[in-house]
Amino acid sequence: MTSYDYQLFVIGGGSGGVRAARIASGLGARVAIAENFRYGGTCVIRGCVPKKLLVYAAHFAEDFVDAQGFGWTVPPREFSWPALIAAKDKEITRLSGLYENNLVGSKVTVMHGAASVVDAHTVALNGQHISAEHILIATGGTPFVPQIPGIEHAITSNEVFDLPQLPRRVLIVGGGYIAVEFAGILNGLGAQVTLCYRGEQVLRGFDDDVRAHLSEEMVKKGIAVLLHQDVARIDKRTDGSLSVALTGAQASNHAVDAVLYATGRVPNTESLGLAEAGVVLDQAGGVVVNAFGQSSVPSIHAVGDVTNRIALTPVAIREGAALATTLFGPSPVSADLTTVPSAVFSQPPIGTVGLTEAQALAKHGEIDIYRSKFRNMRHTLSGRDERTLVKLIVDSASQRVLGAHMVGADAAEIIQGLAIAIRMGATKADFDATVALHPSAAEEFVTLREKTTRKKSD
Ligand code: NDP
């Protein structure tokens, strides 16, 4: 029998890779992991975690104003971006250290450096060759930016977390998760924000009511949302500011201090030697894998964003755990990714699980829609003109709830619980039979008595 240095060598110390390494080691395998930046990956270092901290920071702007409706006198406020970034950095350093310590505690050999694949059972790292029975690619993704003139003046989500100062005027390009999240963050912290999206409405793929509702609320908060517009070029002016030329119906020039590109992400597979080792990649460079995370080379596997499927941390974690169990556990396991809930930490936030109205109609033919828009109790005294949207999509024939969507405070917290009910096959009658929790926004989901509409596909 061939003896390898390790039974599993993981390339990439993000959510998926770390989970796979720890579980494999717990199952008795000899495991090593290599990371070329900082342990924790995109989510911990420059994604979910620092983003959510910045969302909290931004929300204080509204909280101070709203407090006055509740009898508080709020003294003049001042915000320090460097202080926020320093506090965020401290927390990220703590978390990254925790990731590394947990690996060591799980008896995984932790390495630093850019590893690459030499062949089906060999990786190269820092000038050495290391053999492994299995290799796991968990290298995540990286921001994609279109090559337009002046793109070198733009930043991405990689840089935005470490800017030395908060830019006064920002143009954000894109209409996806990162674009709307940073529009809310930067606007809340005091920047003048313009979001420029090439399509007809932000958040393509989300429920249309959700998209329209968020867009309206963003505009109410002072964000300029430009639709059907794209960037032709970016020029740097002598004073250091940027001039952005937009194409589209109302072609115009915008003077800003920063341009943030949030135009999607691509799998991190460059310089990994995968194609040379015979691993099939898709058009975007993602590793093509089967339901068990195995690539076209049987000893090479992949999980998470690098597979170019659902780019969400909890999904990568599930895939990592399933892969480790498949390789070293009692029997093969594939990650169950039915009804994956998702949140967009925009302001207000979005929580969503299950099918959109359009998807449900296409799949089920006849659906009942229940929808409510209301003002949260908090805003009766704050006076803020912010509305919450809740929406349920129900299969007319079986009465199963197919999708639940919300735009409003705490949407992520509320939808996580509903995801359990929907995954278990709850019907509208189950929702109706559940006693409301009063007073809350969440209770709207169990008090939606009147059907808004019934729709049939053509
Ligand atoms: P998204 O895929 O969500 O959005 C990309 C946006 O950029 C779309 O609006 C897209 O437009 C636009 N776009 C793409 N290419 C171009 C181009 N060449 N010119 C102009 N616009 C373009 O990507 P993000 O970068 O926002 O986020 C990446 C992924 O990370 C998300 O899809 C999500 O999976 C994950 N993520 C999850 C978060 C969460 O769970 N809260 C937070 C942040 C990221 P169009 O719609 O027309 O294609």
Side-chain angles (χ1 to χ4, degrees), residues 51 144 146 173-179 181 197-199 203-204 230 261-265 305 310-312 342-345:
K51 177 273 309 286
F144 158 79
V173 187
Y177 282 82
I178 297 177
E181 288 182 345
Y197 174 52
R198 64 182 179 181
L203 291 176
R204 185 167 60 82
D230 213 340
Y261 261 79
T263 43
R265 295 174 60 85
D305 292 8
I310 305 177
L312 296 175
S342 151
V344 183
F345 293 97

Side-chain angles (χ1 to χ4, degrees), residues 391-415:
K391 180 171 178 181
L392 282 182
I393 295 153
V394 179
D395 176 28
S396 303
S398 68
Q399 284 299 297
R400 261 184 81 156
V401 178
L402 303 171
H405 308 274
M406 177 172 179
V407 187
D410 304 320
E413 312 293 340
I414 292 166
I415 290 292

Side-chain angles (χ1 to χ4, degrees), residues 8 15-21 23-24 136-140 287 289-294 301-327 332-338 340:
L8 176 66
S15 303
V18 167
R19 181 55 62 99
I23 295 207
L136 172 59
I137 311 300
T139 47
V287 181
V289 291
N290 65 15
F292 299 98
Q294 187 181 46
H301 315 267
V303 296
D305 292 8
V306 76
T307 63
N308 198 22
R309 296 175 295 175
I310 305 177
L312 296 175
T313 296
V315 170
I317 290 174
R318 284 291 165 111
E319 290 173 354
L323 181 87
T325 311
T326 296
L327 296 181
V333 184
S334 77
D336 176 357
L337 299 179
T338 43
V340 174

